[in-house]
Amino acid sequence: MNANTSAESIAHRGSCAAQAELVDRIARLTDGGGDGVHSTVVRPLHLIRMSGPTECSPSVYEPRLCVVAQGRKVVTLSDRTYHYDPLNYLVVSVTLPMIGQIVEATPDKPYLCLRIDIDPAEIARLIVDAGQPPASDTGRESNGVDLGLYAAKVNKTLMDAVLRLMRLLDTPQDLPVLAPMALREIFYRVLMGDLGHRLRALAVTDSRSSRVAKAVAVLRQRYLQPLCIEDLADEVHMSTSSLHHQFKAVTTMSPLQFQKHLRLHEARRLMMVGGIEAVAAAHRVGYESPSQFSREYKRLFGAPPRSEVVLARGAPQG
């Protein structure tokens, strides 16, 4: 065995040990709580456990970092599909309506994942404190913007930071001082990763990407209001043509399509969670024509609203 092979073997064993520890900690903290998302005393940190594969589940993903410890999940944004499994992480840097599905999980080896919600303002402060160059200084802004979603491999330094945060849950007295430091290190490691420029660009003030992020935030807040693309472009200081082009590069959708997806996702939530009938849900999210709502709902989710709600309500939960 040569030196390179020996070093690779040691690194592999270390990676397996780190993954095993992460699996053990998430499993222990979610044991007895059932399947689903589990909050922790560290406000941005959530733990996810599922004991079996799931159906495709449409949802609006807010900015987040997800690290899979065990199992496998697939997320789809428009026509793009991302697979992430152990020792991979997913970054969602702007609000995006997507479809997720856990495809590998069993009661003995459940899907286990940690999620850390991203506050763009915190990322911006971290960039300043770390002395990182603006995205425009890297030459990327001149070539446009990047999609607000990416997956990458967890390296040793990022895993070490994640485990430090998880270990703190065993010592609550240390959390007020050390948890913010651990979170900052995690995001620093992500920013310094191969694709960190995507997150950095969206947090840097007045970059093209940050203007698109602001437009996304405006639509998220006002998705029920009629959309005037010219007014939105003025608000984020872009031309209408530039906004349309750059917005689609970040989200894969035009602003109008994005607003439509937000409305349909909210209507689905109202029907599934609130028990509201399809016609009432359509009206509440801004549709005047029930038939148009039904067509667009089926186009996005694959089934008309009434039949999907009946199927979902009749399915076993958990």
Side-chain angles (χ1 to χ4, degrees):
M1 181 181 294
N2 61 39
N4 287 340
T5 303
S6 178
E8 289 173 2
S9 177
I10 293 171
H12 177 70
R13 288 199 299 271
S15 176
C16 290
Q19 180 192 354
E21 180 180 351
L22 186 59
V23 167
D24 177 71
R25 289 184 176 277
I26 297 176
R28 175 164 49 84
L29 290 167
T30 58
D31 187 33
D35 286 350
V37 180
H38 300 255
S39 299
T40 73
V41 292
V42 179
R43 186 181 56 80
L45 174 65
H46 306 269
L47 306 176
I48 298 97
R49 180 189 188 111
M50 291 299 297
S51 57
T54 64
E55 298 295 327
C56 292
S57 176
S59 183
V60 177
Y61 283 54
E62 303 293 349
R64 62 186 59 178
L65 164 69
C66 298
V67 179
V68 176
Q70 183 170 270
R72 188 160 58 95
K73 185 173 182 178
V74 176
V75 291
T76 302
L77 174 64
S78 297
D79 59 348
R80 306 186 189 198
T81 299
Y82 294 79
H83 298 256
Y84 59 114
D85 48 24
L87 302 185
N88 283 276
Y89 66 92
L90 183 81
V91 172
V92 182
S93 53
V94 295
T95 300
L96 292 171
M98 296 191 289
I99 295 175
Q101 182 180 21
I102 294 168
V103 295
E104 185 179 302
T106 67
D108 292 335
K109 293 188 67 175
Y111 172 81
L112 299 172
C113 175
L114 67 85
R115 186 189 92 206
I116 303 176
D117 297 335
I118 294 176
D119 180 352
E122 288 291 336
I123 299 298
R125 282 191 288 270
L126 177 58
I127 291 169
V128 172
D129 292 345
Q132 288 293 298
S136 56
D137 290 348
T138 69
R140 297 196 60 86
E141 279 293 316
S142 61
N143 296 323
V145 296
D146 290 301
L147 184 65
L149 168 71
Y150 67 90
K153 269 287 186 187
V154 177
N155 59 29
K156 182 181 183 301
T157 55
L158 176 58
M159 177 57 78
D160 288 346
V162 167
L163 285 174
R164 274 193 288 278
L165 176 63
M166 292 295 295
R167 290 167 188 155
L168 285 173
L169 296 175
D170 291 339
T171 56
Q173 68 275 14
D174 296 331
L175 286 171
V177 173
L178 298 182
M181 297 168 61
L183 287 166
R184 279 172 64 85
E185 182 182 359
I186 289 169
F187 288 127
Y188 175 77
R189 298 302 179 188
V190 172
L191 285 167
M192 297 302 291
D194 292 340
L195 298 174
H197 62 270
R198 296 196 185 187
L199 183 58
R200 185 165 62 247
L202 286 155
V204 171
T205 303
D206 210 33
S207 67
R208 290 180 186 174
S209 296
S210 69
R211 291 187 205 125
V212 172
K214 183 179 179 182
V216 167
V218 169
L219 287 175
R220 180 67 166 133
Q221 294 166 3
R222 309 176 197 166
Y223 68 95
L224 295 178
Q225 300 177 14
L227 173 62
C228 175
I229 190 67
E230 291 81 8
D231 290 345
L232 179 61
D234 286 344
E235 188 166 351
V236 298
H237 308 294
M238 299 178 76
S239 68
T240 54
S241 60
S242 179
L243 172 61
H244 189 277
H245 176 73
Q246 306 290 354
F247 194 98
K248 193 164 187 178
V250 172
T251 69
T252 74
M253 292 169 260
S254 69
L256 184 60
Q257 289 172 324
F258 186 86
Q259 182 193 51
K260 184 184 297 183
H261 281 215
L262 290 178
R263 287 180 170 183
L264 292 169
H265 275 80
E266 175 61 11
R268 187 179 189 275
R269 188 192 69 81
L270 289 171
M271 291 185 293
M272 296 292 186
V273 178
I276 296 176
E277 294 300 320
V279 173
H283 180 72
R284 188 173 294 189
V285 299
Y287 278 86
E288 296 182 0
S289 167
S291 59
Q292 181 187 2
F293 169 73
S294 183
R295 286 195 305 272
E296 294 183 352
Y297 189 100
K298 182 178 180 180
R299 189 177 304 127
L300 180 60
F301 298 128
R306 187 180 301 276
S307 61
E308 192 192 25
V309 169
V310 169
L311 180 63
R313 290 178 183 171
Q317 299 301 305

